[in-house]
Amino acid sequence: MAVSEFFQRVYEMVARIPRGKVVTYGQIAAALGAPRQARTVGWALHSAPEWLDIPWHRVVNRSGGISTRHTIGELSIQRGLLEDEGIVFNEDGRLDLKRYRWAGI
DNA sequence: ACGGTGACGAGAT
DNA sequence: TATCTCGCCACCG
């Protein structure tokens, strides 16, 4: 499928993630039938237009950690948004995927 | 065309 | 468990 279509599907999928839950980049790629394109999923979110207003912060890496360096000073924007939804991070700056992963994708 | 980069991930050590 | 290595692929200069 064309790249733009792939990006479009990524956005549709991310839009369905419920508040307080997360999915991984690889999860999205696999669900789209492209298990080796996790990096492309990351790129899609990186370049997602603001007006789409999708919950991009609900996508984390395989370790339950934050990949983006989107910050305000030392503070991670993504972590802040997730904590606002009740998600708790451990001392290593990672969340428990066994607990927060959304399998409905 | 080409090599470097990165919001990734799996496997080896 | 932590770290390293390598494959992956869109984008950019």
Side-chain angles (χ1 to χ4, degrees):
Chain A
M1 69 180 84
V3 176
S4 59
E5 182 187 345
F6 183 83
F7 278 34
Q8 178 63 41
R9 293 196 183 183
V10 168
Y11 301 149
E12 292 172 355
M13 226 166 245
V14 170
R16 293 202 297 273
I17 307 171
R19 182 183 173 78
K21 288 291 182 180
V22 303
V23 300
T24 68
Y25 298 97
Q27 225 182 313
I28 293 174
L32 291 179
R36 292 157 302 190
Q37 293 197 208
R39 305 192 75 143
T40 305
V41 172
W43 182 255
L45 296 181
H46 174 77
S47 53
E50 173 63 33
W51 54 264
L52 275 183
D53 200 34
I54 55 176
W56 59 270
H57 58 285
R58 294 176 189 151
V59 186
V60 298
N61 63 38
R62 183 71 182 175
S63 303
I66 305 299
S67 292
T68 179
R69 297 183 197 174
H70 190 187
T71 61
I72 290 181
E74 297 291 293
L75 306 177
S76 166
I77 302 297
Q78 185 171 9
R79 174 171 174 158
L81 289 169
L82 290 174
E83 291 180 322
D84 285 345
E85 301 186 350
I87 289 177
V88 178
F89 284 76
N90 63 29
E91 61 283 353
D92 296 317
R94 307 196 301 199
L95 54 78
D96 184 1
L97 277 176
K98 295 189 307 295
R99 179 179 176 187
Y100 300 115
R101 182 198 295 273
W102 183 54
I105 202 167

